[in-house]
């Protein structure tokens, strides 16, 4: 049995998928994870990396392609690490995700729970309401190349609203014209770290994440605001976020509004939610409403139940459940999210929901102290 080595070519059959969407094949019993493969097809692969128990490879030729294979519709797909499934049709993508959930429940959770169907989206493009573009010297504004921190410059992304690309280009133009530096994470120098965008029915919020101390002025910030507003007239707010820490976390704690409003409002399941840069909010609004509808169906609430919603964020699931439950307790460890959840409850006139700031163990201890046993627990 020949030892696997980098750059070797092998002909294999793809048996399934990893949790990250890589194809799975076997060579002499060793698992090989293959970039750009589709289940069931016969293909020639090139070995890229060999580890003790697994190897990684990419597709070189596909003499027997799957009927589900398609040509990627994004010019950045082979370089950018943002998508894993654009080389297959949507039906195969949904099946890959169904198998992922089933295998996780069985292999990790030890539960032999049937996973019958993944509820697909009616629209698979331009749906994301949150965009996080890392910025690197160049300046480059885009996404990380897979398994690296090298930023791939992206003019447009099919998952994001078109305005995201226009705002990214306005940032590039301003940085280039004024010589504003991009953050270099190796040297920890440079100013602009990320372009963080949120989209909602009430408008678009643009957040510039900078490597600076809270309150520090951004050079030529009025010109920046003017350029962003000219690029996207629907823009409703521009804020600066300060993150000087050596971390992969995008947002720091400090915020300063340069222009307009520092928050958005959105309608979800008949409720109104205020969204700030730090708020957790499902990135696909339409699929979120499908998800919450399934949660309500499965919970089978009659109006007598106490519901515990762990990791509740700004209270979206909590408030949806509260309309049909006796009492809902939402638990979240981020103080700003708890404040947003309480404000969202007041805004929607929901008095049966309360929010605790702490982790899941804190919630368990407090429920025990109060002698309460929840009838339904939601974990998102």
């Amino acid at each position: 049995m020949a030892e696997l080595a980098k750059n070797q070519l092998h002909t294999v059959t793809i048996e399934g998928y990893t949790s990250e969407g890589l194809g799975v094949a076997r060579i002499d019993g060793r698992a090989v994870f293959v970039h750009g493969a589709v289940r069931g097809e016969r293909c020639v692969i090139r070995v890229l990396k060999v580890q003790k128990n697994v190897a990684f490879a990419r597709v070189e030729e596909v003499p027997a392609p799957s009927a589900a294979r398609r040509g990627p519709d994004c010019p950045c797909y082979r370089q950018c690490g943002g998508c894993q499934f654009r080389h297959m049709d949507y039906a195969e993508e949904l099946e890959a995700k169904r198998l992922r959930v089933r295998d996780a429940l069985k292999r990790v959770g030890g539960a032999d729970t049937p996973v019958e169907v993944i509820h697909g989206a009616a629209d698979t493009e331009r749906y994301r309401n949150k965009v996080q573009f890392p910025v690197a010297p160049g300046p480059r504004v885009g996404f990380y190349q897979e398994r690296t921190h090298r930023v791939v410059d992206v003019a447009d992304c099919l998952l994001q609203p078109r305005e995201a690309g226009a705002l990214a280009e306005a940032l590039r133009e301003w940085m280039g014209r004024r010589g504003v530096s991009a953050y270099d994470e190796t040297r920890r120098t440079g100013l602009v770290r990320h372009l963080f965008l949120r989209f909602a029915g009430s408008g678009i919020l643009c957040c510039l994440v900078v490597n600076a101390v809270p309150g520090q002025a951004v050079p030529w910030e009025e010109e920046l605001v003017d350029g962003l507003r000219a690029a996207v007239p629907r823009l409703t707010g521009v804020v600066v976020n300060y993150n000087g820490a050596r971390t992969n976390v995008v947002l720091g704690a400090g915020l300063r509004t340069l222009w307009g409003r520092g928050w958005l409002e959105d309608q979800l399941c008949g409720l109104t939610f205020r969204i700030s840069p730090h708020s957790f909010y499902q990135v696909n609004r339409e699929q979120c409403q499908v998800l919450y509808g399934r949660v309500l169906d499965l919970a089978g609430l009659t109006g007598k139940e106490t519901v515990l919603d762990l990791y509740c964020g700004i209270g979206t699931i909590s408030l949806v459940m509260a309309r049909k439950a006796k009492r809902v307790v939402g638990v979240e460890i981020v103080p700003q999210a708890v404040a947003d959840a309480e404000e969202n409850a007041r805004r929607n006139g929901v008095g049966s929901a309360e929010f605790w700031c702490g982790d899941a163990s804190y919630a368990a201890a407090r429920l025990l102290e109060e002698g309460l046993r929840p009838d339904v627990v939601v974990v998102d």
Side-chain angles (χ1 to χ4, degrees):
M1 180 176 65
E3 186 65 26
L4 277 181
K6 185 177 179 179
N7 286 325
Q8 284 180 346
L9 295 176
H10 294 267
T11 301
V12 298
T13 299
I14 306 302
E15 301 171 1
Y17 300 107
T18 69
S19 61
E20 296 176 331
L22 302 178
V24 178
R26 295 194 179 275
I27 299 175
D28 295 328
R30 176 180 288 188
V32 181
F33 301 152
V34 185
H35 296 254
V38 181
R39 183 178 54 129
E41 64 188 10
R42 189 86 171 153
C43 53
V44 178
I45 63 172
R46 182 179 297 276
V47 177
L48 302 175
K49 185 177 182 180
V50 179
Q51 297 180 342
K52 183 177 179 180
N53 298 315
V54 301
F56 293 86
R58 68 165 180 251
V59 171
E60 291 285 312
E61 299 176 35
V62 190
S66 164
R69 175 172 285 279
R70 69 173 190 179
D73 51 2
C74 173
C76 300
Y77 179 61
R78 297 303 184 192
Q79 294 80 41
C80 172
C83 295
Q84 289 79 38
F85 297 103
R86 302 201 82 87
H87 60 285
M88 63 183 72
D89 63 28
Y90 190 46
E92 182 67 11
E93 177 183 338
L94 293 180
E95 178 60 9
K97 292 176 177 178
R98 186 189 73 82
L99 294 172
R100 174 182 180 176
V101 175
R102 184 202 66 184
D103 293 346
L105 287 170
K106 188 172 184 178
R107 181 171 51 82
V108 181
D112 193 12
T113 303
V115 180
E116 296 175 359
V117 65
I118 297 290
H119 295 273
D123 190 354
T124 61
E125 294 188 358
R126 309 286 182 189
Y127 61 84
R128 286 188 64 93
N129 57 41
K130 182 177 79 169
V131 179
Q132 298 177 157
F133 286 129
V135 181
R140 300 192 304 275
V141 184
F143 297 107
Y144 292 122
Q145 186 176 1
E146 189 172 12
R147 299 182 185 277
T148 76
H149 270 209
R150 178 186 177 276
V151 175
V152 177
D153 210 24
V154 174
D156 185 32
C157 173
L158 297 177
L159 302 186
Q160 327 292 355
R162 293 187 186 279
E163 294 100 329
L167 291 168
E169 180 55 31
L171 176 64
R172 285 190 202 94
E173 195 278 332
W174 171 76
M175 291 178 68
R177 176 163 44 84
R178 284 301 188 181
V180 177
S181 59
Y183 182 65
D184 184 321
E185 63 180 16
T186 302
R187 296 182 175 86
R188 297 184 65 190
T189 58
L191 182 67
V192 182
R193 295 182 70 146
H194 279 83
L195 178 65
F196 182 97
L197 308 172
R198 283 195 179 275
F199 300 80
S202 64
I204 302 171
L205 178 62
C206 178
C207 178
L208 189 71
V209 184
V210 296
N211 175 37
V213 296
Q216 182 176 331
V218 174
W220 299 286
E221 57 188 38
E222 290 185 6
E223 282 189 27
L224 171 63
V225 170
D226 290 344
L228 294 170
R229 293 180 64 187
V232 177
R234 200 163 71 89
L235 195 66
T236 52
V238 180
V239 301
V240 173
N241 176 262
Y242 297 94
N243 185 357
R246 187 167 194 167
T247 176
N248 288 332
V249 176
V250 174
L251 294 176
L255 287 171
R256 182 168 65 92
T257 301
L258 299 184
W259 169 81
R261 295 196 309 262
W263 46 268
L264 297 173
E265 282 190 352
D266 200 23
Q267 298 288 324
L268 187 74
C269 299
L271 298 167
T272 301
F273 293 95
R274 178 169 290 191
I275 308 163
S276 66
H278 287 98
S279 302
F280 173 80
Y281 198 66
Q282 294 282 353
V283 298
N284 187 332
R285 179 181 174 277
E286 298 308 316
Q287 281 296 85
C288 179
Q289 296 188 108
V290 174
L291 172 66
Y292 290 2
R294 291 294 294 138
V295 170
L296 280 173
D297 291 342
L298 293 167
L301 300 176
T302 65
K304 301 177 181 178
E305 294 84 5
T306 295
V307 177
L308 177 63
D309 178 17
L310 298 175
Y311 316 101
C312 70
I314 62 172
T316 49
I317 293 180
S318 299
L319 298 183
V320 170
M321 302 286 277
R323 293 185 297 187
K324 294 192 175 183
K326 180 180 179 181
R327 180 188 184 189
V328 175
V329 175
V331 181
E332 171 60 53
I333 202 168
V334 179
Q336 182 58 53
V338 173
D340 287 343
E342 291 172 340
E343 178 59 30
N344 285 326
R346 284 192 291 270
R347 182 178 294 106
N348 289 283
V350 178
S352 56
E354 59 194 89
F355 298 95
W356 300 348
C357 189
D359 61 14
S361 62
Y362 163 79
R366 184 165 168 181
L367 286 169
L368 183 64
E369 183 181 303
E370 294 187 17
L372 289 175
R373 183 178 178 86
D375 304 290
V376 176
V377 179
V378 179
V379 182
D380 181 8

